[in-house]
Amino acid sequence: DTGVSQNPRHKITKRGQNVTFRCDPISEHNRLYWYRQTLGQGPEFLTYFQNEAQLEKSRLLSDRFSAERPKGSFSTLEIQRTEQGDSAMYLCASSGPGVGEPYEQYFGPGTRLTVT
Amino acid sequence: QKEVEQNSGPLSVPEGAIASLNCTYSDRGSQSFFWYRQYSGKSPELIMFIYSNGDKEDGRFTAQLNKASQYVSLLIRDSQPSDSATYLCAPGDFNKFYFGSGTKLNVKP
């Protein structure tokens, strides 16, 4: 168990470009979450997967955002036509049987996105 | 949008004192309540969780839940400088969690 990993750790992009982030959860975990966090705020829920199924998606999430978890393992979060307001830390978390409490979320180190 | 209210602080306590952190939430359907600690520049890490009304103790930490009042709190006994961090309250329904903005705690040596 190496924990939750996220790549890249930092991303600087120009407004209008597309970006994609990757999350590798703890291997035993079947639940995966994406959050966005800005300075001084708590993590904001974006979406949730159980295995490969996307079961929840925030209504606040623009249709420029899409997430996948094709084989129930790693997940990707894509932001199309980035805007300066998308600048934030994007956090991935996983939970599930085998490691920790069933609903205990283990967070990755995050991907910091800066849109110029 | 589900609301989670926390006093942003900073809450300053002397070393060895009890720190009391409070949280109110709007969603009566919340079934699980988590407290996370987040050091500056780091990701959140779980401190405590509680599902049932009443108190739950784990070492120096005690979580208290009152579903009727939609209120959850975290007590930290014998506070240490290493406890200085932002504490995030996160009620949820097991599939989705809503985080408060957090309370910043400063423990002074």
Side-chain angles (χ1 to χ4, degrees):
Chain A
D1 171 22
T2 58
V4 179
S5 62
Q6 292 186 246
N7 288 289
R9 295 291 306 275
H10 303 274
K11 179 71 176 179
I12 300 174
T13 190
K14 293 185 177 180
R15 187 178 56 184
Q17 297 294 304
N18 299 343
V19 294
T20 299
F21 309 141
R22 176 177 170 127
C23 171
D24 287 88
I26 293 172
S27 57
E28 297 92 334
H29 284 173
N30 60 348
R31 287 184 287 272
L32 187 147
Y33 307 79
W34 284 99
Y35 294 90
R36 174 172 62 190
Q37 187 174 25
T38 54
L39 193 63
Q41 300 297 313
E44 175 191 1
F45 172 82
L46 296 179
T47 191
Y48 157 66
F49 291 86
Q50 183 160 313
N51 299 312
E52 66 276 8
Q54 187 175 22
L55 299 185
E56 293 272 2
K57 185 176 178 180
S58 170
R59 278 172 281 179
L60 299 177
L61 202 59
S62 160
D63 57 7
R64 296 184 296 107
F65 288 71
S66 62
E68 294 183 341
R69 195 183 182 197
K71 298 183 179 179
S73 56
F74 74 92
S75 175
T76 58
L77 177 70
E78 181 183 17
I79 309 174
Q80 296 181 328
R81 304 181 303 281
T82 52
E83 302 172 356
Q84 288 186 323
D86 297 331
S87 295
M89 177 73 83
Y90 289 83
L91 294 165
C92 175
S94 69
S95 70
V99 178
E101 295 294 324
Y103 295 97
E104 177 181 355
Q105 295 184 38
Y106 287 78
F107 282 83
T111 294
R112 181 166 295 284
L113 173 66
T114 302
V115 181
T116 61
Chain B
Q1 176 69 2
K2 308 297 192 291
E3 291 186 357
V4 181
E5 297 290 336
Q6 293 184 257
N7 188 324
S8 61
L11 173 65
S12 292
V13 300
E15 184 175 355
I18 295 176
S20 178
L21 306 166
N22 304 315
C23 171
T24 58
Y25 60 95
S26 65
D27 182 14
R28 287 192 173 274
S30 297
Q31 300 177 47
S32 58
F33 304 84
F34 291 76
W35 281 99
Y36 283 83
R37 176 176 63 198
Q38 187 171 29
Y39 292 112
S40 180
K42 301 294 186 182
S43 297
E45 54 180 336
L46 184 69
I47 297 296
M48 289 281 293
F49 66 91
I50 186 167
Y51 301 145
S52 303
N53 275 331
D55 295 0
K56 179 181 179 182
E57 187 174 319
D58 184 1
R60 297 187 295 114
F61 300 93
T62 298
Q64 299 174 317
L65 174 61
N66 184 325
K67 288 186 178 181
S69 300
Q70 295 176 250
Y71 174 87
V72 58
S73 66
L74 179 70
L75 300 178
I76 306 174
R77 289 181 299 281
D78 188 24
S79 296
Q80 301 298 308
S82 59
D83 294 327
S84 298
T86 297
Y87 290 79
L88 300 163
C89 170
D93 62 1
F94 300 108
N95 291 337
K96 187 165 55 181
F97 297 89
Y98 295 96
F99 283 80
S101 296
T103 298
K104 187 172 184 178
L105 173 66
N106 289 332
V107 181
K108 297 181 177 180

